[in-house]
């Protein structure tokens, strides 16, 4: 691997308020909270995956309980030519096993006014806003962890911090605008490793698009004019050099490289299915109109007093690369 909301479509289904009312009626009065029905959580999880840049490029999603270990071939068999009546040399693979995925908890706490929830019963648009907001906050945080996570905050180790990645083209001590040749070199760097180009793709900050639009190919044509840069209907993706790309603002544009302080990173993989997302359990969303919460860790807010309902969303997952 090399490092270098549109409205429309089908409605989300039955009104969120109706689902929540049913769930509340089934809960005990003293519980103070209740679960959002599984089908609603599944719809939000689907939206989360649609909003995550990493998820859009097709990583392999696998169920994991406590830990998933992956068996790999540390040294392979060999073949050789053999003369007539001579013995064929024996060779065998050596296997290695290492833990790859240990799910970490991703959580979000979103206060929503009870008035807005009541309005959602009559307005599917408001319901969609609530669901989209929960999915968006989870998707953005997941992208940050999957790409740049250090593992020190209880989250996954991101791709940028996985050892053994294929080096990107050298853009100089202070960094510079990538050229057409740089982009081609990023792709070419993976070929000597016999990398399978099964699900190739790029991830970068959307600001980079304004730079890429001014890059010219070897004949002097802008990449878009040459069909080497295209955009899909969502505006958050397209193709670059014929390979799919997805954008996320979670990749910073103010990295310090030498004397420059406005550089960014580009991620390219020849096969994003080699990025495994291990999920421990389905997305769970719990609600409470009686709990309290704090924004700064000092001052506490009462949901009951402020006529709010707290949405607590939790998901357990991890990321690992099967070929780095």
């Amino acid at each position: 691997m090399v490092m270098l909301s549109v409205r429309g479509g089908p409605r989300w289904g039955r009104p969120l308020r109706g689902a929540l009312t049913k769930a509340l009626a089934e809960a005990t009065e003293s519980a103070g909270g209740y679960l959002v029905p599984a089908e609603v959580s599944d719809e939000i999880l689907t939206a989360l995956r649609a909003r995550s840049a990493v998820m859009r490029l097709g990583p392999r999603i696998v169920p994991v309980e406590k830990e998933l270990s992956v068996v790999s071939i540390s040294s392979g068999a060999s073949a050789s030519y053999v003369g007539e009546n001579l013995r064929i040399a024996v060779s065998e693979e050596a296997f290695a096993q290492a833990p790859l995925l240990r799910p970490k908890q991703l959580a979000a706490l979103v206060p929503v006014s009870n008035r807005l929830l009541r309005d959602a019963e009559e307005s599917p648009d408001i319901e969609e806003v609530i669901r989209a907001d929960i999915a968006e906050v989870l998707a953005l945080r997941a992208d940050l962890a999957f790409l740049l996570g250090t593992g020190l905050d209880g989250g996954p180790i991101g791709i940028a911090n996985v050892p053994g990645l294929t080096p990107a083209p050298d853009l100089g001590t202070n960094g510079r605008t990538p050229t057409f040749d740089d982009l081609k070199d990023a792709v070419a760097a993976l070929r000597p490793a016999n990398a399978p180009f099964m699900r190739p793709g790029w991830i970068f900050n959307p600001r980079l698009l304004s730079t890429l639009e001014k890059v010219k190919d070897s004949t002097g044509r802008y990449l878009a004019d040459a069909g080497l840069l295209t955009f899909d209907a969502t505006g958050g993706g397209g193709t670059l050099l014929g390979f799919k790309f997805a954008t996320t603002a979670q990749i910073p544009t103010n990295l310090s490289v030498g004397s420059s302080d406005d550089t960014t990173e580009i991620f390219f993989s020849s096969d994003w299915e080699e990025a495994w997302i291990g999920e421990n359990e389905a997305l769970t969303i719990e609600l409470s109109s009686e709990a309290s919460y704090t924004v700064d860790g000092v001052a506490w807010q009462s949901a009951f007093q402020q006529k709010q309902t707290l949405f607590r969303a939790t998901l357990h997952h991890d990321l690992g690369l099967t070929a780095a």
Side-chain angles (χ1 to χ4, degrees):
M1 183 171 292
V2 174
M3 284 204 316
L4 200 69
S5 128
V6 176
R7 284 187 175 274
R11 291 296 182 189
W12 286 98
R14 60 178 177 170
L16 181 62
R17 179 62 179 173
L20 300 186
T21 301
K22 178 182 177 183
L24 179 58
E26 294 174 350
T28 60
E29 293 183 0
S30 62
Y34 45 95
L35 291 175
V36 171
E39 62 268 26
V40 178
S41 295
D42 288 344
E43 290 170 357
I44 293 177
L45 180 59
T46 299
L48 183 162
R49 290 172 176 169
R51 285 164 168 77
S52 164
V54 174
M55 292 289 192
R56 293 202 304 271
L57 290 184
R60 182 187 295 269
I61 299 176
V62 295
V64 179
E65 292 185 3
K66 182 178 180 181
E67 178 178 284
L68 175 66
S69 296
V70 174
V71 176
S72 61
I73 298 177
S74 57
S75 62
S78 62
S80 60
Y81 289 99
V82 181
E84 186 176 3
N85 297 324
L86 296 180
R87 288 179 298 136
I88 299 174
V90 177
S91 65
E92 59 182 1
E93 297 95 344
F95 295 91
Q97 186 179 54
L100 176 67
L101 299 169
R102 296 187 181 97
K104 284 83 173 173
Q105 179 175 256
L106 173 65
L109 192 67
V110 182
V112 178
S113 74
N114 292 340
R115 179 177 180 179
L116 189 62
L117 287 176
R118 287 195 300 271
D119 291 342
E121 184 176 1
E122 303 297 331
S123 173
D125 286 341
I126 295 178
E127 175 196 340
E128 183 174 339
V129 168
I130 295 172
R131 297 182 191 229
D133 185 50
I134 295 173
E136 183 76 7
V137 70
L138 291 170
L140 288 174
R141 188 60 185 88
D143 269 346
L144 181 62
F146 291 159
L147 295 171
L148 303 171
T150 62
L152 301 178
D153 57 355
I157 296 177
I159 294 171
N161 294 307
V162 174
L165 296 178
T166 304
D170 185 3
L171 299 186
T173 303
N174 302 317
R176 58 174 170 77
T177 300
T179 64
F180 177 62
D181 286 348
D182 291 329
L183 297 174
K184 290 178 70 68
D185 287 344
V187 176
L190 294 176
R191 295 195 183 107
N194 293 321
F197 279 71
M198 301 298 292
R199 289 189 179 181
W202 313 79
I203 296 181
F204 45 77
N205 188 287
R207 193 190 77 168
L208 186 67
L209 287 172
S210 61
T211 298
L212 294 176
E213 287 181 312
K214 299 176 184 177
V215 174
K216 297 180 180 180
D217 67 7
S218 56
T219 65
R221 296 178 301 172
Y222 290 112
L223 295 183
D225 295 339
L228 298 174
L229 178 63
T230 67
F231 302 89
D232 61 27
T234 67
T239 63
L240 174 61
L241 304 190
F243 304 123
K244 185 177 180 180
F245 76 77
T247 62
T248 175
Q250 295 297 79
I251 298 176
T253 57
N254 59 351
L255 298 176
S256 295
V257 176
S259 61
S260 300
D261 58 4
D262 63 347
T263 64
T264 187
E265 290 178 310
I266 301 175
F267 294 79
F268 178 78
S269 173
S270 64
D271 188 3
W272 279 92
E273 198 170 19
E274 291 183 344
W276 286 27
I277 307 293
E279 293 183 349
N280 178 259
E281 62 181 29
L283 174 66
T284 301
I285 301 179
E286 300 169 273
L287 285 79
S288 174
S289 59
E290 300 178 11
S292 297
Y293 64 97
T294 177
V295 177
D296 57 7
V298 178
W300 285 86
Q301 311 291 326
S302 168
F304 180 78
Q305 184 179 31
Q306 299 182 129
K307 296 182 178 180
Q308 295 175 332
T309 297
L310 294 180
F311 286 67
R312 184 177 66 190
T314 56
L315 175 66
H316 294 78
H317 61 202
D318 195 13
L319 174 137
L321 303 183
T322 60

